[in-house]
Amino acid sequence: MKGMVFTEFLEMVEDKFSADMVDDIIDDSAPPSGGAYTAVGTYDHNELVGMVVALSQRSGLPVPALVHAFGVHLFGRFHALYPAFFGGITSAVDFLYGIESVIHTEVRKLYPDAQLPSFDCERLPDGLNMLYASPRHFGDLAEGLIAGAVAHFGDPVNVTRVNLPDGAIRFELRNKA
Ligand code: HEM
């Protein structure tokens, strides 16, 4: 996984907890890379999982809640770091509809080694269905990123998560009645 995901995660931990917490979760999880991440590097995503588990143990907060919160935070950082991807877009549904065909396609051009999930998106008269699949199973991250997008654009939609038997997840965004 790209180093920027790690650096953004550790910055969030420093902001919401402390610099000591950053050191502690790196010590606890003993990542094979050593835990000194650069934004342009690429690291095993299991190192992120290890640090989240360590943070959960130290904070008492559940892993899914921490990953979800990181997704919301990461959306804000993507918005700050990649403003070009947001030009002319006024709704979360429009933005998210292009996640695979536009956003992650551009990300792949910038970082050919990026390991991206697949999102199969279907527009509906009253919203959007997004089918998420990834061998890394970061559904909680996807949920947080979607929540971040909805909060950012302010779409009047409810988001429902349906975990499917094959490990994929369907996110259903529906206009509020
Ligand atoms: C401007 C917006 C965005 C940019 C620039 C961006 C870019 C990236 C990058 C660089 C990665 C890491 C790839 C790697 O580690 O190799 C990533 C992963 C990921 N992105 Fe995006 N992304 C954006 C928005 C979103 C949104 C809105 C969603 C949710 C719908 C999303 C879902 C994910 C997920 C779930 C992953 C983790 C990898 C996995 O699940 O296998 N991204 N993205």
Side-chain angles (χ1 to χ4, degrees):
M1 184 165 259
K2 295 308 296 175
M4 67 93 68
V5 179
F6 290 79
T7 56
E8 293 299 340
F9 174 71
L10 292 176
E11 269 172 39
M12 182 191 79
V13 173
E14 186 172 342
D15 281 1
K16 299 236 162 96
F17 296 89
S18 65
D20 283 346
M21 183 65 104
V22 170
D23 294 340
D24 288 341
I25 63 173
I26 292 173
D27 286 349
D28 290 353
S29 61
S33 75
Y37 302 101
T38 67
V40 290
T42 300
Y43 307 91
D44 186 339
H45 74 279
N46 286 312
E47 293 195 6
L48 186 66
V49 175
M51 291 191 289
V52 175
V53 170
L55 182 61
S56 169
Q57 283 163 352
R58 285 187 175 267
S59 67
L61 298 168
V63 167
L66 290 168
V67 177
H68 185 282
F70 176 48
V72 175
H73 169 85
L74 193 57
F75 179 84
R77 297 297 297 144
F78 283 151
H79 181 253
L81 294 168
Y82 301 93
F85 292 157
F86 292 83
I89 296 186
T90 55
S91 79
V93 165
D94 286 348
F95 180 77
L96 293 168
Y97 180 68
I99 189 70
E100 173 93 30
S101 57
V102 181
I103 310 290
H104 280 172
T105 300
E106 291 301 317
V107 170
R108 209 171 265 117
K109 288 183 200 161
L110 292 170
Y111 310 109
D113 60 344
Q115 295 177 306
L116 294 161
S118 92
F119 280 101
D120 198 350
C121 295
E122 180 195 5
R123 265 188 200 274
L124 302 166
D126 60 343
L128 179 70
N129 276 353
M130 306 177 71
L131 185 66
Y132 164 84
S134 167
R136 290 166 294 285
H137 300 289
F138 273 128
D140 295 325
L141 188 68
E143 193 176 329
L145 282 156
I146 291 168
V150 169
H152 171 81
F153 289 103
D155 296 35
V157 294
N158 292 313
V159 182
T160 307
R161 169 179 174 160
V162 183
N163 294 323
L164 301 172
D166 62 358
I169 298 170
R170 190 171 64 242
F171 294 102
E172 302 174 346
L173 287 73
R174 292 291 181 280
N175 293 332
K176 288 179 182 161

